[in-house]
Amino acid sequence: MDVTMKISVVSAGIALLLGAAIPAYSAPDKLTVVVTDEPKSLDPCDTDLSGNSRVVHNNITEALVNLNPKDGSVVASLATDWRQVDALTWEFKLREGVTFHDGKTFDADAVVAALKRAQDPPLACEVGLATLKGVKFTAVAVNPTTVLIKTDVVEPILPNKMSALDIGSPATPSDGKTRAPAGTGPYQLTAWTPGQSVTLSAYGGYWGEKPPIKHATIIWRAESAVRAAMVDTGEAQIAYEIAPQDGTTKQDHAFPNAETSLLRIDAQIPPFNDKRVREALNLAIDRDGLIGTIFHENAQKAMQVVPPSVFGFNPDIPVWTYDPEKAKSLLAAAKTDGVPVDKEIVIYGRIGIYPNSSESLEAIQAMLADAGFNARLEMLETSPWLKRLLKPWEKERQPSILQTQIDNTEGDAVFTLPNRFTSDGNQSTIADAKLDKLIADAAKATGDERKKLFQEAFRYIAVDAVNIAPLFHMVTIARVAENVNYSLDVQAGNEIKLKSVSYR
């Protein structure tokens, strides 16, 4: 179908949405950043979710190591050196003279506590459910500046995984999540006003280079046009996730953001437990028609859930073609065999997950209807959407597909696959022993064997399992005020690098 669409830009009334007061231009020591939605948690162990990470990671809390955005290599942060002692043990040397915002000393005991807390099942930490999933990590303090991290299975990229473990103060509660994190980062939390803003101030005792801007405020607005206008009026200096139709000025910077957009299919509920129905869904989507209209013109059609820069990417998986007639034929064949293809399915979307998120699903809903699906669209705020994303789910739930994105700035497929595609994965709608084994074997392998197994896993997901409808490797637009120095990189979708921002 023709999906060249008119996407209305609501310019009338923006002044009212922003407030009638005269714009307050930022002082040289203040910065305001506007994002799409409020973080759901500021706990150091929840930074695997990008909405939380962009506020917390490397601003409030830090990890032992970071990943270089240019090539994914491991670089020093709270650890200055690391080496593999044996097949199951790595040694990290820690930076000296580092203190947490609450005055406590950063040392090996703090690392031990953070790693133990991240894997505590009752806490349900996002890093434990995702990055650290499937491996038991045990930290042992050798002395204040040396820690050993042991695993129960071979973990060849353990330093990479430690880049996701943000380390909070030893005083962080062990019996629940914190709303007042104390880290070692360049900024400390001043206030989190629910529904309004998160405010940060520079930490005077920071071990590294001091940030040029002393005070930062993160606020959220759902509408792209509003976020963009706030930079124009001086109410914000940086605005993320500007829609293509709004990002038309020289202040708008487009960059690949390591996110892949997709629809996750609930393959366990009829009619989606029939592979033909899942294939029909993919064939019904006109991806070419969505590029340059609803999605950015530089978005790339996806054939799997990681971009080509990720180790394990399979370049030989064919991209889905648009073939609504074949989709209709598959649905008809499934119906003949008793599959309830006429049953209503729900498309769950998340408001503001990316620019034009609602419009994209409205177009896809129409495409599915043309192919014979009975689809209803339901757009959700982030909290109810997360309940649809994460287990446990109701056993007698309605058949559905879920709008989501998967990011991988770490550079290896292991950061994407286990939590989302293994039988016990916290986001997985598939239970397939063969796929479980492929992913587990790949995670333990190294070199060419690791790449080969991950490539097999991606092909299995796309061709054999078909429990997703991959859409695009995404491009983000950020609007940056003319008087601000800020270089955007592939990590910018997950991490607002406040200490790198300055005024001209």
Side-chain angles (χ1 to χ4, degrees):
M1 72 179 274
D2 181 5
V3 295
T4 302
M5 305 177 66
K6 294 181 180 180
I7 306 174
S8 61
V9 181
V10 185
S11 54
I14 284 179
L16 182 61
L17 288 168
L18 293 176
I22 297 173
Y25 289 86
S26 184
D29 64 343
K30 294 181 179 180
L31 178 79
T32 299
V33 180
V34 56
V35 297
T36 56
D37 52 4
E38 184 172 9
K40 299 306 150 191
S41 167
L42 295 184
D43 194 286
C45 78
D46 278 342
T47 56
D48 254 61
L49 290 178
S50 58
N52 304 333
S53 177
R54 62 191 175 196
V55 177
V56 177
H57 184 58
N58 280 331
N59 292 322
I60 299 173
T61 57
E62 300 173 299
L64 291 178
V65 296
N66 281 318
L67 298 178
N68 187 327
K70 293 181 180 180
D71 59 11
S73 59
V74 182
V75 296
S77 183
L78 291 177
T80 57
D81 194 17
W82 50 93
R83 67 185 181 94
Q84 189 167 15
V85 177
D86 57 45
L88 301 177
T89 308
W90 288 76
E91 178 188 82
F92 289 82
K93 293 291 186 180
L94 307 183
R95 193 175 297 278
E96 298 184 49
V98 177
T99 58
F100 290 96
H101 302 153
D102 60 4
K104 295 190 179 299
T105 300
F106 167 74
D107 57 16
D109 288 336
V111 178
V112 172
L115 187 55
K116 181 179 179 181
R117 184 175 183 273
Q119 297 176 101
D120 185 12
L123 278 179
C125 291
E126 290 299 329
V127 69
L129 295 171
T131 300
L132 304 182
K133 180 183 178 295
V135 180
K136 182 180 179 181
F137 295 83
T138 304
V140 178
V142 177
N143 57 52
T145 59
T146 306
V147 63
L148 298 178
I149 298 181
K150 300 175 178 289
T151 56
D152 59 338
V153 297
V154 175
E155 181 49 86
I157 60 166
L158 186 144
N160 301 63
K161 288 197 169 185
M162 290 302 103
S163 69
L165 178 70
D166 279 51
I167 299 169
S169 166
T172 304
S174 59
D175 58 351
K177 301 289 182 69
T178 181
R179 291 182 58 88
T184 59
Y187 288 89
Q188 56 189 340
L189 180 68
T190 302
W192 179 7
T193 306
Q196 297 184 32
S197 64
V198 173
T199 56
L200 310 175
S201 60
Y203 174 46
Y206 183 55
W207 60 268
E209 186 175 344
K210 304 298 187 289
I213 297 174
K214 303 304 180 186
H215 305 282
T217 301
I218 294 95
I219 59 177
W220 38 91
R221 299 291 185 271
E223 301 85 0
S224 165
V226 172
R227 293 194 297 275
M230 291 183 75
V231 176
D232 296 339
T233 63
E235 294 194 56
Q237 287 69 54
I238 301 171
Y240 284 91
E241 299 288 354
I242 303 302
Q245 67 270 16
D246 299 324
T248 58
T249 75
K250 65 180 181 179
Q251 294 170 245
D252 297 310
H253 306 274
F255 58 97
N257 62 8
E259 297 268 14
T260 300
S261 62
L262 65 142
L263 303 175
R264 187 193 67 185
I265 305 169
D266 192 343
Q268 298 175 341
I269 303 297
F272 286 130
N273 61 342
D274 190 291
K275 182 180 176 181
R276 291 169 295 185
V277 179
R278 303 195 298 273
E279 289 177 340
L281 186 147
N282 273 285
L283 292 165
I285 299 172
D286 181 7
R287 293 165 175 82
D288 287 314
L290 293 169
I291 293 178
T293 55
I294 294 176
F295 290 86
H296 193 277
E297 62 183 1
N298 294 333
Q300 299 295 313
K301 287 188 291 185
M303 48 191 175
Q304 57 206 288
V305 295
V306 295
S309 59
V310 171
F311 186 85
F313 176 87
N314 188 335
D316 299 322
I317 301 173
V319 177
W320 286 99
T321 57
Y322 175 51
D323 193 339
E325 294 307 313
K326 186 175 180 181
K328 292 176 184 177
S329 176
L330 287 169
L331 288 180
K335 184 174 183 178
T336 299
D337 292 339
V339 179
V341 298
D342 296 326
K343 192 173 184 179
E344 182 189 70
I345 64 172
V346 185
I347 308 172
Y348 291 115
R350 187 186 120 191
I351 298 169
I353 190 171
Y354 46 73
N356 299 330
S357 57
S358 298
E359 292 85 348
S360 71
L361 291 189
E362 288 167 4
I364 289 173
Q365 179 188 22
M367 295 172 191
L368 296 182
D370 283 352
F373 284 94
N374 176 16
R376 172 173 64 86
L377 174 60
E378 187 173 334
M379 296 301 299
L380 304 172
E381 297 289 350
T382 302
S383 290
W385 175 85
L386 283 171
K387 292 180 180 179
R388 302 291 182 183
L389 175 71
L390 304 172
K391 292 178 179 175
W393 303 308
E394 295 178 1
K395 186 175 181 180
E396 302 301 324
R397 59 192 181 274
Q398 190 168 355
S400 66
I401 55 179
L402 180 85
Q403 177 189 48
T404 187
Q405 289 197 120
I406 296 176
D407 70 87
N408 190 318
T409 58
E410 297 89 352
D412 190 277
V414 77
F415 293 96
T416 293
L417 291 176
N419 189 44
R420 297 173 177 92
F421 296 100
T422 57
S423 298
D424 62 346
N426 195 41
Q427 300 179 30
S428 178
T429 63
I430 187 173
D432 189 308
K434 181 176 179 180
L435 182 58
D436 290 349
K437 187 175 188 307
L438 269 176
I439 294 173
D441 289 347
K444 292 181 283 189
T446 58
D448 289 342
E449 179 67 11
R450 183 182 185 87
K451 178 185 283 188
K452 176 185 174 183
L453 289 169
F454 275 136
Q455 289 179 336
E456 288 182 20
F458 281 123
R459 181 171 184 83
Y460 192 87
I461 291 166
V463 177
D464 297 295
V466 195
N467 76 314
I468 57 169
L471 296 176
F472 303 104
H473 302 308
M474 299 290 278
V475 171
T476 288
I477 300 174
R479 179 166 293 185
V480 180
E482 290 183 345
N483 65 333
V484 169
N485 294 309
Y486 180 42
S487 297
L488 295 146
D489 58 40
V490 71
Q491 296 173 342
N494 295 337
E495 182 179 341
I496 303 174
K497 299 179 180 181
L498 290 172
K499 69 179 179 182
S500 73
V501 182
S502 63
Y503 285 106
R504 292 174 182 166

